[in-house]
Amino acid sequence: MSEQQKQGWLEQRLPIVSAFRREYIDFPMPPNLNFLWNFGAFATIALGFLVISGIFLALNYTPSINGAFASVETIDRSVAWGWFIRGLHMGGVTMLFGSLYIHMGRGLYYGSYKAPREVLWLTGMGLFVLVMIIAFAGYVLPWGQMSFWGATVIVNALGAIPVIGQPLSSLLFGEAPLGDMALHRMFVVHFALAFGAMAVIALHVAALHVTGSNNPTGVPTRKKVPFHPYYTTKDSFGICLFLMVYAVLVFFLPGILTLADNYIEANPMVTPADITPEWYFAPFYAVLRAVPSRLGGLLAAAGLLLVVVAVPWLDRGPIRSARFRPMIRLGLGAAFLAFIALGIAGMQSPDTLWIWTARIAACVWFGFFLVLLPWASKHDDHFRVVEAD
Ligand code: HEM
């Protein structure tokens, strides 16, 4: 049999089978990855569930202020399996953000952002911002009280940006008060960007495959193992656990993470007692509220993420993994706790205690990224020498 015949009909015309084999079956992996390396796969699976359940939800959803709330209620109560599809969609968002926060924390801890993985890091951050926009737009769609008032807070915050703020906010939401135009645009943004995110995931994984995976030591391992069967087995086991947690959310606790106010139809004449975001936006909301000026709050909230985008350039040290960087380990631990504190503060009423908690936590976060990390990374070599002595 000739070489060409051996390759098969499809392979000769489109070498997709060999590409798949090279990238996903034989791909050389470090042998020592721990369970934190499962979370990229979890995020991918969660996004897959969101897209599929979203397509089914869209079949019954009405993007108009007179029909949206009722159509969502109908999906929940009358459409066959509607409660399940909506539960998958709402639970999926929590699973996605939960996976992403751990995925990013893993990257920060093990220094996976360092050269030559900067582009991988930037595509990841691009994905995170996309997912945030998609989630925000999606939250407007049921047209409940929190949808309306949450979106109003963001419109006001955007309006504070000099020069482009007002035009940008009317482009995205139409004129105030929010109405049909805003809802329709958010529906299109929500739907269209979800497919954009899938394309960026392909870029993200392509960038990962240029360098290959980092590992907990941060030092490239000489020994490698093929992705299959080692990591297909490990990922499958992890995915089973992930699906179990997801199933508990969908079947046993469907309303646990939803704010009760969003089961009341939007009413521009009645402001809810507290406007609180979903848990995954809470750290950013806490910072937005903690700064007395509107523009300052917006910049500080954006800054929470921007310092993470810039981390490959803020950290110039030669050592990658925090395992071997005691100072970074401590600082990063404090920054992670500060982020959780911001999340808690963002979900409370804006009284003095929580406003100050947010201010202190934000100082710890920025202090780590802008002061301790650049300083300690300059001294990494020094610590190594002292330890060796
Ligand atoms: C929807 C969003 C995302 C998806 C679906 C996704 C998916 C993945 C997958 C499947 C992997 C390989 C498996 C793994 O290492 O866990 C990976 C690796 C990686 N991702 Fe993401 N990711 C997303 C967002 C992010 C974000 C927000 C960041 C941080 C900026 C990020 C940074 C990285 C890094 C640095 C790696 C390489 C890890 C290493 O080898 O140490 N990703 N991602």
Side-chain angles (χ1 to χ4, degrees):
M1 201 190 285
S2 74
E3 195 50 39
Q4 272 210 327
Q5 279 168 328
K6 260 196 252 162
Q7 281 180 344
W9 187 88
L10 180 63
E11 184 62 17
Q12 287 166 26
R13 287 155 180 86
L14 182 70
I16 188 172
V17 179
S18 58
F20 184 79
R21 171 168 277 284
R22 189 176 60 242
E23 298 297 324
Y24 292 99
I25 296 185
D26 299 333
F27 194 77
M29 300 286 291
N32 58 339
L33 301 186
N34 62 29
F35 77 99
L36 290 170
W37 266 260
N38 280 129
F39 283 82
F42 294 170
T44 313
I45 300 266
L47 199 73
F49 270 100
L50 282 167
V51 170
I52 293 168
S53 55
I55 290 173
F56 282 98
L57 286 178
L59 292 177
N60 291 288
Y61 173 74
T62 312
S64 79
I65 58 170
N66 294 324
F69 188 81
S71 71
V72 173
E73 285 292 299
T74 308
I75 292 172
D76 254 348
R77 294 167 199 274
S78 315
V79 172
W81 290 92
W83 61 271
F84 176 59
I85 302 286
R86 183 145 190 257
L88 277 182
H89 207 70
M90 287 164 64
V93 185
T94 284
M95 297 306 288
L96 176 63
F97 274 96
S99 306
L100 282 181
Y101 279 129
I102 298 175
H103 188 65
M104 290 160 82
R106 184 279 315 262
L108 287 172
Y109 189 83
Y110 294 116
S112 300
Y113 49 81
K114 288 197 168 197
R117 295 193 177 81
E118 297 96 325
V119 172
L120 167 64
W121 189 254
L122 292 181
T123 54
M125 289 310 299
L127 266 173
F128 190 69
V129 172
L130 263 181
V131 168
M132 284 177 91
I133 297 173
I134 296 169
F136 168 76
Y139 197 60
V140 179
L141 302 185
W143 207 242
Q145 274 289 70
M146 277 303 152
S147 309
F148 179 85
W149 290 101
T152 304
V153 169
I154 298 302
V155 171
N156 289 339
L158 276 185
I161 303 176
V163 189
I164 57 160
Q166 286 300 344
L168 184 68
S169 126
S170 12
L171 178 74
L172 289 174
F173 299 101
E175 297 308 322
L178 297 182
D180 266 327
M181 212 180 264
L183 188 56
H184 217 112
R185 287 179 192 179
M186 288 303 108
F187 183 49
V188 173
V189 164
H190 184 66
F191 207 110
L193 288 192
F195 293 93
M198 298 215 298
V200 184
I201 292 179
L203 281 183
H204 187 61
V205 174
L208 172 68
H209 282 201
V210 173
T211 56
S213 288
N214 182 25
N215 72 77
T217 66
V219 182
T221 56
R222 219 171 307 146
K223 184 174 160 43
K224 303 275 182 205
V225 294
F227 190 82
H228 179 74
Y230 294 95
Y231 286 103
T232 39
T233 316
K234 185 174 180 210
D235 277 347
S236 306
F237 177 71
I239 288 168
C240 288
L241 297 181
F242 170 87
L243 291 179
M244 280 157 78
V245 177
Y246 193 1
V248 169
L249 266 186
V250 175
F251 294 116
F252 297 100
L253 305 167
I256 190 157
L257 294 163
T258 320
L259 300 161
D261 270 335
N262 226 29
Y263 287 102
I264 303 170
E265 190 167 4
N267 183 350
M269 309 302 283
V270 179
T271 319
D274 278 325
I275 301 180
T276 30
E278 295 291 278
W279 71 267
Y280 39 85
F281 285 141
F284 302 94
Y285 188 57
V287 173
L288 190 73
R289 266 190 335 198
V291 180
S293 109
R294 264 200 310 168
L295 181 60
L298 191 68
L299 290 177
L304 277 190
L305 264 194
L306 284 179
V307 291
V308 183
V309 174
V311 84
W313 296 277
L314 293 171
D315 176 3
R316 314 295 298 180
I319 305 174
R320 198 183 292 273
S321 171
R323 251 195 203 176
F324 307 112
R325 308 174 80 189
M327 188 88 89
I328 299 294
R329 211 163 51 226
L330 268 179
L332 202 52
F336 287 160
L337 287 179
F339 197 74
I340 294 171
L342 281 175
I344 297 171
M347 288 189 288
Q348 315 297 324
S349 325
D351 51 31
T352 318
L353 170 73
W354 293 112
I355 293 282
W356 276 99
T357 307
R359 286 179 185 161
I360 295 168
C363 289
V364 173
W365 180 262
F366 286 117
F368 170 71
F369 284 99
L370 297 177
V371 182
L372 184 74
L373 185 62
W375 180 81
S377 66
K378 275 207 190 115
H379 295 79
D380 262 355
D381 261 343
H382 168 73
F383 291 126
R384 199 163 44 177
V385 174
V386 171
E387 271 170 26
D389 287 348

